[in-house]
Amino acid sequence: MVYGTLYLVPVPLAENAAAKSFTPYLTDTINSIREYIVENEKTARRFLKEAGLKIPQSELIIHDYGKHSRDNDINGFFKGLTAGNDVGLMSEAGCPGVADPGSDIVAEAHKRGIKVVPLVGPSSILLAVMASGFNGQSFTFHGYLPIDKNERAKKIKELESMATRFNQTQLFIETPFRNNPMLEEILRSCSPNTRLCIACDLTAADEFVQTKTIAAWRQKVPDLHKRPTIFLLFRS
């Protein structure tokens, strides 16, 4: 039996960033696919339209892989693939499976011997590393840090120590409405000569990426409230 291919379809990181995000090959690919596994059907349909979809959307099969559906049996997602049909996997923003849902779908595809093809597109993690000026040969993404204030402060100091000990860039994120308390804690916890890069609203019209020492950031603290942000620590 010949299986279909699972295509990992990146999604723009920001509004009005489609032109920066989609390649001609991606556009060609989505016009050969009629079935998708998505995190949010409404936004997925909008992104497909922005990417140049010519297939009538009424002909698409859309599987809901939102947070309320992730504990369900995933066998239904693979009926089309095992029947020989290509399927696209999309998250809400960026690359599926990288700081976004989808890795378990990809893992199951590999278990079943289904070909997986990642398409080129924006990854906020890589864009932030590129723009930081920090070590791009060795870096670690930690996702979300603890919510508890004491535990969060302890973790930030631990990451600062790791950056020094391993000459390694440390990346982490926070829920956008908690960005300002996170930044305040970073500025309290880290040494003045540690460098911090703030990468905010990547690819958006109001994109903000700056690298400064902790001492310099303390002089003028930006307002990051409700702005998608990646924090990067480095200390060579």
Side-chain angles (χ1 to χ4, degrees), residues 198-202 204-210 212 217 222 224 227:
I198 298 173
C200 181
D201 286 322
L202 290 166
D206 57 349
E207 177 180 270
F208 172 86
V209 183
Q210 285 192 14
K212 299 180 183 180
W217 280 118
L224 306 176
R227 300 181 67 186

Side-chain angles (χ1 to χ4, degrees), residues 23-24 26-34 36 45 47-60:
T23 66
L26 185 148
T27 301
D28 291 343
T29 302
I30 64 170
N31 279 299
S32 69
I33 296 175
R34 283 174 163 75
Y36 291 88
R45 288 184 181 276
F47 294 143
L48 289 170
K49 181 180 178 181
E50 290 177 347
L53 181 71
K54 295 181 177 65
I55 299 170
Q57 296 226 8
S58 59
E59 297 181 10
L60 299 181

Side-chain angles (χ1 to χ4, degrees), residues 129 134-135 138-142 155-156 158-173 195-197 230-235:
V129 172
F134 296 164
N135 190 351
S138 179
F139 56 90
T140 301
F141 177 65
H142 298 273
K155 185 65 176 181
I156 289 170
E158 177 186 326
L159 297 185
E160 182 184 37
S161 175
M162 290 172 62
T164 305
R165 190 162 69 252
F166 302 119
N167 190 36
Q168 185 181 66
T169 304
Q170 308 296 320
L171 300 89
F172 50 96
I173 56 176
R195 286 188 285 164
L196 167 68
C197 177
I230 294 187
F231 301 95
L232 303 89
L233 287 177
F234 189 64
R235 189 174 179 183

Side-chain angles (χ1 to χ4, degrees), residues 27-230:
T27 301
D28 291 343
T29 302
I30 64 170
N31 279 299
S32 69
I33 296 175
R34 283 174 163 75
E35 186 172 353
Y36 291 88
I37 303 167
V38 306
E39 187 179 358
N40 183 295
E41 180 173 351
K42 182 179 179 181
T43 52
R45 288 184 181 276
R46 186 177 79 242
F47 294 143
L48 289 170
K49 181 180 178 181
E50 290 177 347
L53 181 71
K54 295 181 177 65
I55 299 170
Q57 296 226 8
S58 59
E59 297 181 10
L60 299 181
I61 299 172
I62 305 288
H63 300 285
D64 179 6
Y65 187 60
K67 61 182 178 180
H68 300 298
S69 305
R70 248 164 255 154
D71 293 330
N72 297 340
D73 183 8
I74 64 174
N75 285 310
F77 297 154
F78 289 88
K79 289 181 180 178
L81 285 161
T82 55
N85 302 321
D86 294 339
V87 173
L89 174 65
M90 301 169 66
S91 61
E92 270 288 82
C95 300
V98 181
D100 274 300
S103 58
D104 53 349
I105 299 292
V106 176
E108 183 64 23
H110 285 299
K111 288 179 184 178
R112 296 176 183 233
I114 293 168
K115 184 178 180 179
V116 176
V117 175
L119 301 182
V120 173
S123 164
S124 59
I125 296 170
L126 291 181
L127 292 173
V129 172
M130 289 165 61
S132 68
F134 296 164
N135 190 351
Q137 300 290 331
S138 179
F139 56 90
T140 301
F141 177 65
H142 298 273
Y144 293 95
L145 302 193
I147 295 176
D148 178 79
K149 186 175 180 179
N150 292 331
E151 290 298 315
R152 185 176 61 199
K154 180 180 177 182
K155 185 65 176 181
I156 289 170
K157 290 177 182 176
E158 177 186 326
L159 297 185
E160 182 184 37
S161 175
M162 290 172 62
T164 305
R165 190 162 69 252
F166 302 119
N167 190 36
Q168 185 181 66
T169 304
Q170 308 296 320
L171 300 89
F172 50 96
I173 56 176
E174 180 54 281
T175 303
F177 68 84
R178 288 200 290 258
N179 277 338
N180 285 343
M182 170 63 80
L183 179 56
E184 290 169 6
E185 191 60 63
I186 295 170
L187 299 183
R188 273 195 301 266
S189 300
C190 291
S191 299
N193 61 343
T194 293
R195 286 188 285 164
L196 167 68
C197 177
I198 298 173
C200 181
D201 286 322
L202 290 166
T203 74
D206 57 349
E207 177 180 270
F208 172 86
V209 183
Q210 285 192 14
T211 294
K212 299 180 183 180
T213 63
I214 293 295
W217 280 118
R218 287 172 180 166
Q219 300 303 310
K220 187 176 181 180
V221 181
D223 182 5
L224 306 176
H225 186 57
K226 292 188 177 179
R227 300 181 67 186
T229 301
I230 294 187

